[in-house]
Amino acid sequence: MPAESFLYAVPKEWYEKYGVRRYGFHGTSYSYVLGRVASELQRPASSLNLIVCHIGSGASMVCIKGGKFMSLLPFLPPTVGFTPLDGLVMGTRSGDVDAGVFGHLTKAAGLSVGEVDSALNKKSGLYGLCGFSDMRAVQERADGGDADAALAERIFVERVRKYLGAYLVRLRNNVDAIVFTAGVGENSARFRALACEGLEEFGIKIAPGKNLAAKGVARIEDAFSRTKVMVVPTDEEGSIAIQAIDLVGVLPEPAQEVPAALPGRRRRPKHDLLVVGESSHSGWAHVPPPPPSWKGEGGGGRGGG
């Protein structure tokens, strides 16, 4: 990521001394999905412009710009930042929230910073809005007339569409595919339809029948859609295993065979594994220490964290 994408507009010393910056998460999932899409479309990964939606109990989105990479990996600003709390509404996490909420609640409600942080991570998101953190339960309750569940679903979808619009602008509407992955992204045809509703003017249209029938890797766009819309089950565990094999050099170089379930494998520099791409702009070139570990992220499960 270039500096304008990973830096917050806060005092510079917060970044230099304490590592406060946007890091991004779900990188292993995005690496796998990029390789799988390249394999399915029979195109080099470096030629693809993608918007990838990793939507599970934990959720994030990223746009990937091919051609001339802007970093060691072609990921442009992800929706999550310093911690997984940023960005999209999730099962128990709030996603984007005004930082002023912390100061307000410490004064108005007498809560400690730790209590506010815990509530935003463990008692917010879908759960905070309607009492259910699983999208299947939220949709079932919404269909049964639960107004809070219906509102929670709308807020969840609206946040995804906010970033979808931002990424369409970032890629100048030159998008090869919008890709849905992880628990909700892979399994909820209803969510995918709502996320892409009314985007025909941008060349994006889902075919309802294909969307409902999607299993495994699937193309679900309408025949007249300029942009492909895909469902690609993620495999974070497999991606981590391949990266670990690369890192320790167990396999010869070049590898004799790439497992069919893990297309797009490539060797990376070791420093590419944790922090993706730094700007060479004077004053921002060094890599600060990683953020402190945090507890109680919530989510979890295959493709959902």
Side-chain angles (χ1 to χ4, degrees), residues 63-82:
C63 64
I64 300 174
K65 185 176 182 179
K68 182 179 179 181
F69 289 178
M70 296 178 67
S71 60
L72 295 175
L73 283 177
F75 298 162
L76 296 181
T79 56
V80 287
F82 182 67

Side-chain angles (χ1 to χ4, degrees), residues 32 36 39 238 242 245 251 255-265:
Y32 175 82
R36 192 62 191 262
S39 177
I242 288 296
I245 290 172
L251 294 179
Q256 297 299 312
E257 182 179 355
V258 177
L262 295 169
R265 174 181 175 270

Side-chain angles (χ1 to χ4, degrees), residues 18-21 23 25 81-83 288-294:
Y18 310 114
V20 175
R21 54 157 282 177
Y23 284 89
F25 295 83
F82 182 67
T83 75
S293 60
W294 45 84

Side-chain angles (χ1 to χ4, degrees), residues 193-226:
L194 290 171
C196 294
E197 185 177 29
L199 299 181
E200 292 83 2
E201 293 296 322
F202 297 93
I204 301 164
K205 185 177 182 181
I206 283 180
K210 291 181 181 179
N211 187 33
L212 288 171
K215 298 292 181 183
V217 178
R219 294 265 301 274
I220 61 172
E221 75 273 7
D222 182 85
F224 297 101
S225 179
R226 184 175 70 250

Side-chain angles (χ1 to χ4, degrees), residues 89-93 119 121-134 138 152:
V89 174
M90 308 179 210
T92 63
R93 299 189 194 111
N121 276 285
K122 299 179 181 180
K123 299 178 182 179
S124 299
L126 293 174
Y127 180 80
L129 289 167
C130 69
F132 297 90
S133 61
D134 189 308
V138 172

Side-chain angles (χ1 to χ4, degrees), residues 24-298:
F25 295 83
H26 297 132
T28 53
S29 176
Y30 293 133
S31 294
Y32 175 82
V33 169
L34 173 61
R36 192 62 191 262
V37 171
S39 177
E40 290 294 323
L41 299 183
Q42 298 185 357
R43 289 179 54 184
S46 60
S47 73
L48 293 173
N49 288 351
L50 307 177
I51 298 174
V52 185
C53 309
H54 179 112
I55 312 296
S57 292
S60 68
M61 293 169 61
V62 74
C63 64
I64 300 174
K65 185 176 182 179
K68 182 179 179 181
F69 289 178
M70 296 178 67
S71 60
L72 295 175
L73 283 177
F75 298 162
L76 296 181
T79 56
V80 287
F82 182 67
T83 75
L85 185 60
D86 202 9
L88 305 178
V89 174
M90 308 179 210
T92 63
R93 299 189 194 111
S94 64
D96 291 339
V97 68
D98 187 340
V101 167
F102 278 84
H104 172 70
L105 290 176
T106 57
K107 295 176 182 178
L111 298 177
S112 68
V113 172
E115 288 172 325
V116 177
D117 181 77
S118 179
L120 290 175
N121 276 285
K122 299 179 181 180
K123 299 178 182 179
S124 299
L126 293 174
Y127 180 80
L129 289 167
C130 69
F132 297 90
S133 61
D134 189 308
M135 179 56 78
R136 292 168 296 188
V138 172
Q139 291 176 340
E140 182 178 348
R141 298 282 297 188
D143 290 343
D146 186 322
D148 287 341
L151 177 60
E153 183 182 19
R154 294 200 302 273
I155 292 173
F156 185 94
V157 171
E158 185 64 23
R159 189 71 59 82
V160 170
R161 287 170 62 87
K162 166 188 170 180
Y163 283 103
L164 182 58
Y167 289 161
L168 285 171
V169 170
R170 190 66 185 259
L171 295 174
R172 301 184 181 183
N173 202 27
N174 180 22
V175 183
D176 295 298
I178 297 171
V179 187
F180 292 97
T181 191
V184 178
E186 294 170 21
N187 297 301
S188 178
R190 170 166 159 172
F191 162 73
R192 295 191 297 262
L194 290 171
C196 294
E197 185 177 29
L199 299 181
E200 292 83 2
E201 293 296 322
F202 297 93
I204 301 164
K205 185 177 182 181
I206 283 180
K210 291 181 181 179
N211 187 33
L212 288 171
K215 298 292 181 183
V217 178
R219 294 265 301 274
I220 61 172
E221 75 273 7
D222 182 85
F224 297 101
S225 179
R226 184 175 70 250
T227 298
K228 299 173 181 64
V229 185
M230 300 179 68
V231 179
V232 177
T234 192
D235 187 353
E236 293 175 281
E237 297 88 347
S239 180
I240 291 170
I242 288 296
Q243 291 184 52
I245 290 172
D246 274 352
L247 183 63
V248 301
V250 173
L251 294 179
E253 182 63 39
Q256 297 299 312
E257 182 179 355
V258 177
L262 295 169
R265 174 181 175 270
R266 65 182 180 86
R267 185 172 295 278
R268 300 195 193 103
K270 293 182 181 179
H271 62 274
D272 189 31
L273 296 177
L274 296 178
V275 179
V276 180
E278 296 300 324
S279 170
S280 59
H281 185 277
S282 176
W284 300 103
H286 72 283
V287 179
S293 60
W294 45 84
K295 299 179 181 179
E297 291 183 14

